[in-house]
Structures are given as C-alpha cells and as structure tokens.
Amino acid sequence: MATRGMLIVLSGPSGVGKGTVRKAMFRDNKKRDFVYSVSMTTRKPRPGEVDGVDYYFRSEQEFKHEIATDGMLEYAQYVDHYYGTPLKYVNQTLDSGKDVFLEIEVNGAMQVREKCPDGVFIFLTPPDLSSLKERIKGRGSEDSQTINKRMVKAVEEIKMMQQYDYAVVNDRVFLAVKRIENIIESEHLRVKRVMTQYEKMIGAVEK
Amino acid sequence: MATRGMLIVLSGPSGVGKGTVRKAMFRDNKKRDFVYSVSMTTRKPRPGEVDGVDYYFRSEQEFKHEIATDGMLEYAQYVDHYYGTPLKYVNQTLDSGKDVFLEIEVNGAMQVREKCPDGVFIFLTPPDLSSLKERIKGRGSEDSQTINKRMVKAVEEIKMMQQYDYAVVNDRVFLAVKRIENIIESEHLRVKRVMTQYEKMIGAVEK
C-alpha cells in the first residue's frame, strides 16, 4: 500500500506573485513528484485558458452544488465569482501516494489548515519584507498617515504569516522555486511523516 | 544586532557513520554558514589528531571541573573516558548569529534537546532502515532468536528516532550530506524562526 502523499499549500498576500511562482514550478514539463491541483471557478475562461488545465470552469449552480455536498476542500467568493479546490481529486491523488500542490488565497489556505493540519503551509512574502523598516518608513519623506497605513498592512501580513510553517521570500522567481523545492524534500524527511511507515513495517514483521 | 544562530544536532545509532557524514560536510574548506563545534574528551589523542581540531583534549580533572561548573552542554562517559560539548563556544557562536553543528551520541542529543528545544535534531539512519523487514527477517534462514534480537534493536532505533525532527538515511555519504544541507536551508525559512526578526523590525518602527 502506498504511503499517503503530502499536501503542499502555497499562499500569500495578493499581488505577491503566487501564480507566477507556481507556474514556474510546473513549467518545462519538469518531472515532479507532486501534482498541481487545478482550481474550480465560476468565472468565464479568458482567451487561451483551457478547462481542466487553468481551471475547471463551472456554472454557479454546479459550484454551489459542490459546496452543498461537501465537495470543496476550500472556496471563496471574489468579485462575484467563486473559486475553490475540489476535494475529490486532492484525496484521490494523496491516496495514490503522490503529493498535491495547491496555490490558493490566504482565506482558502486557512480553511485547508483546519481540515489538513499535517499539510505543509508556505507563505510567499513580498521581496521587501526583509527590509520591512525601509518599506514602512519609506525614504523619510512620507507623512505619518502614509507610514501608518503601511504599518497596518505589514502587521496584517505578518499576522497571516504566523499561521504558516514556512516563509519564502519572492525576490527572484527561480530562487523562490528552489526554496519551495527544498522545503518539500526536507518535509519528506520529517520523523512525524516517516514514523507511520516504520511502524507499519514493524507491525508487518510482528505478525 | 545579529539574529541568534540555529543549533543543528546530528546523531544516530552507533556505527551509522555520523563522523564520516560530518567530516564530509566540512571537507574541502567548503564555505559553510554553520560552524562545527569541537567536542571535549579525556581520552588521549590518536596519531595525527590535533587539539582544538579533532577534540579538545583535557584531563579528567579539567573535564569534571567543567561538568561541576555547568560548562557542558552535554556529556557522557564511554569506555572510561568522558566526551562532551563545551557550552561556552556554542553560546558565543550562536550569539554571533552563526549556526552551530554538533555531531554527538544519542544520549548527548537528548540532553541538548532538553536544553535547546528550538534546535534542529537530525537522526542518521542505517541505509537499510528503509528495508526494515528484510533486515529483521534476513534471508529466511535465521532462527527465531536471531530475528527477535534484530527486532528489538530495530524497535529501539525507531524509538530513538521519535525524539528527532528529521530522519536522514545514510545510503551514500554525499546524498546524506545533501539532505542535511537541504534541511538546514529549509529550517531557516520556518516561520517560527523568522517571526522574531519581523517582530523586532515592527517594534523598531513603532518606537
């Protein structure tokens, strides 16, 4: 029997470049041990977008039916449209022993955290979160209201971050990708993840 | 002010190759962001061993004085000699913002775990722990007493492993090194480790 796969969740504040990093991870047909879980949405496909590749494009009625029948791992409504992750595909893939990679909004990520506390939660941060002070205070010419607004936003982001396991700075896309790859590899070596395997083997011998 | 460094502890059952992996990590003057903490011992230097490089070679009286004055992070007695990690150097290095790498016995590792729960604890496993069943049952020709003895040893090792954060298989030395490097990099991205930094920055702005 295959060991259940690992759920990897990439999220972060809007505009941080989650989609770009995720696309870079799956580009060039690079062989991956993890599978991207395509989201479902009620918005219309844009030119070039393919159903089942970019999104599962569904009617609002169909989407609401999934919600009502507990078919969504997470979902949210943005600008009149629903977006979410269908549970069935995620579970099937995890059961087959493969890891699943989700790239979702922060609200969705928190829904997933509740349902799958064993997942790996990665928060993508803006490139300048490491120079937070400069970012907030600016070049010294900003008024106190501007600084205060930035401060509130920074504190909000950091509070979000606290709910995650890892913080990855998106300074360069290929660096962010490398860091995420490292995290996934290392997480597979965590004792809490390999213990079950060993215990099963011991159990198999004892019988 | 520098952020305090991270303590990395490599341990594992005796004979697993901890020393070989550790030496490979620090070979070739490879630039490392972490520093190896040289152990202290009361045994005599072997030909070629250098004081302060291989070990700090000290008399039993000096060693016992360190123990009595809380100068040891961990220590143990093996075959009439004392081995241990002097606390002072570890603390100085961590305070300077550098990571410290310890390669120690399992008993010592558990002493460190109690004192530094925030450390990264890596358990090096024998190459065949992944084929545990074959290892225990052998080729089918062993009597039940032999199988039972192996079983007890395997269960012991797994129980040890449970106290650690990561399990790294020592199948090939360069692969074990790569895995440990990955773990160290990823651990630096853990939210619990970067939060303090962000909080400090926020505090600095608020003042």
Side-chain angles (χ1 to χ4, degrees):
Chain A
M1 205 194 64
T3 311
R4 196 169 154 88
M6 191 167 78
L7 185 65
I8 306 142
V9 178
L10 177 68
S11 191
S14 65
V16 75
K18 297 186 286 291
T20 311
V21 169
R22 184 258 301 166
K23 275 174 200 152
M25 294 199 69
F26 291 92
R27 201 157 40 202
D28 309 325
N29 293 318
K30 198 174 169 184
K31 218 198 141 292
R32 289 286 180 198
D33 292 328
F34 46 89
V35 178
Y36 174 60
S37 164
V38 177
S39 295
M40 190 178 278
T41 184
T42 58
R43 79 155 166 78
K44 295 279 163 284
R46 290 175 193 143
E49 284 187 338
V50 178
D51 182 52
V53 174
D54 298 285
Y55 281 100
Y56 294 111
F57 296 100
R58 295 291 181 269
S59 70
E60 198 171 311
Q61 200 191 349
E62 287 171 298
F63 202 109
K64 283 184 170 168
H65 179 257
E66 288 296 334
I67 297 172
T69 55
D70 283 333
M72 301 303 286
L73 175 58
E74 57 84 28
Y75 71 95
Q77 211 178 351
Y78 295 101
V79 205
D80 289 344
H81 288 298
Y82 285 97
Y83 294 83
T85 306
L87 185 60
K88 197 176 154 189
Y89 176 77
V90 170
N91 269 337
Q92 279 173 352
T93 313
L94 292 176
D95 285 342
S96 79
K98 273 204 176 121
D99 296 345
V100 173
F101 189 93
L102 302 183
E103 177 247 307
I104 52 180
E105 299 299 325
V106 285
N107 291 335
M110 290 306 96
Q111 294 174 42
V112 179
R113 172 118 252 181
E114 271 174 39
K115 289 179 191 164
C116 313
D118 268 0
V120 181
F121 292 79
I122 303 170
F123 190 76
L124 199 65
T125 73
D128 52 358
L129 197 62
S130 54
S131 58
L132 196 57
K133 199 171 166 181
E134 289 70 26
R135 187 174 150 217
I136 295 168
K137 289 208 162 175
R139 282 156 206 272
S141 54
E142 280 88 351
D143 57 58
S144 64
Q145 209 183 346
T146 310
I147 292 174
N148 200 42
K149 232 162 124 183
R150 285 192 195 146
M151 185 77 182
V152 168
K153 192 168 152 35
V155 172
E156 258 171 28
E157 279 174 10
I158 288 169
K159 274 190 189 150
M160 276 186 218
M161 192 171 82
Q162 276 179 306
Q163 313 289 324
Y164 290 73
D165 300 310
Y166 296 93
V168 166
V169 178
N170 188 18
D171 46 356
R172 302 283 299 274
V173 171
F174 81 96
L175 286 177
V177 167
K178 187 78 199 105
R179 289 172 194 131
I180 294 168
E181 288 172 344
N182 265 0
I183 289 169
I184 295 171
E185 274 182 42
S186 296
E187 276 291 327
H188 274 289
L189 305 179
R190 286 188 79 83
V191 167
K192 67 171 184 182
R193 297 192 194 280
V194 295
M195 272 317 290
T196 332
Q197 244 170 299
Y198 287 128
E199 277 163 357
K200 265 186 206 154
M201 278 188 278
I202 285 281
V205 179
E206 275 179 335
K207 266 166 209 160
Chain B
M1 205 197 64
T3 311
R4 196 170 154 87
M6 190 167 79
L7 185 65
I8 306 143
V9 178
L10 177 67
S11 192
S14 65
V16 75
K18 296 187 286 292
T20 310
V21 168
R22 184 257 301 167
K23 277 174 200 153
M25 293 199 70
F26 290 94
R27 203 158 38 202
D28 310 324
N29 293 317
K30 199 175 169 185
K31 218 198 142 295
R32 291 285 180 199
D33 292 329
F34 45 90
V35 177
Y36 173 58
S37 164
V38 177
S39 294
M40 190 179 278
T41 184
T42 57
R43 80 155 165 77
K44 297 277 163 284
R46 291 177 193 143
E49 284 186 336
V50 179
D51 182 50
V53 175
D54 297 286
Y55 282 99
Y56 295 111
F57 296 101
R58 295 291 181 269
S59 70
E60 198 171 309
Q61 202 191 346
E62 287 172 300
F63 202 108
K64 282 185 172 169
H65 178 259
E66 288 296 334
I67 297 172
T69 55
D70 282 335
M72 302 303 287
L73 175 58
E74 56 85 26
Y75 71 94
Q77 211 178 350
Y78 295 101
V79 204
D80 289 342
H81 288 297
Y82 285 97
Y83 295 82
T85 306
L87 185 60
K88 198 175 153 191
Y89 176 76
V90 170
N91 269 337
Q92 278 174 353
T93 313
L94 292 176
D95 284 344
S96 78
K98 274 207 175 116
D99 297 346
V100 173
F101 189 94
L102 303 183
E103 177 248 309
I104 53 180
E105 299 299 326
V106 285
N107 290 334
M110 291 305 96
Q111 293 173 42
V112 180
R113 171 118 253 179
E114 271 176 38
K115 290 179 191 166
C116 312
D118 269 1
V120 182
F121 292 79
I122 303 170
F123 190 77
L124 199 65
T125 74
D128 52 357
L129 197 63
S130 56
S131 58
L132 196 59
K133 197 171 165 179
E134 287 70 24
R135 187 174 150 219
I136 296 167
K137 288 209 162 175
R139 283 157 205 271
S141 53
E142 280 86 353
D143 56 58
S144 64
Q145 209 182 346
T146 310
I147 292 175
N148 199 42
K149 232 160 125 185
R150 285 190 194 146
M151 185 76 183
V152 169
K153 191 167 156 33
V155 171
E156 258 170 29
E157 280 173 10
I158 288 169
K159 275 190 188 150
M160 278 186 218
M161 189 169 85
Q162 275 180 306
Q163 313 289 324
Y164 290 74
D165 301 310
Y166 295 93
V168 166
V169 179
N170 189 18
D171 46 356
R172 302 283 299 275
V173 171
F174 81 97
L175 286 177
V177 168
K178 187 79 200 101
R179 289 173 195 131
I180 294 168
E181 288 171 343
N182 264 1
I183 288 170
I184 295 171
E185 275 182 42
S186 297
E187 276 292 326
H188 274 289
L189 305 178
R190 287 188 81 82
V191 166
K192 67 170 183 183
R193 297 193 193 279
V194 296
M195 274 317 289
T196 332
Q197 243 171 300
Y198 287 127
E199 278 163 357
K200 265 186 206 155
M201 280 189 275
I202 286 281
V205 180
E206 275 178 337
K207 269 166 207 161

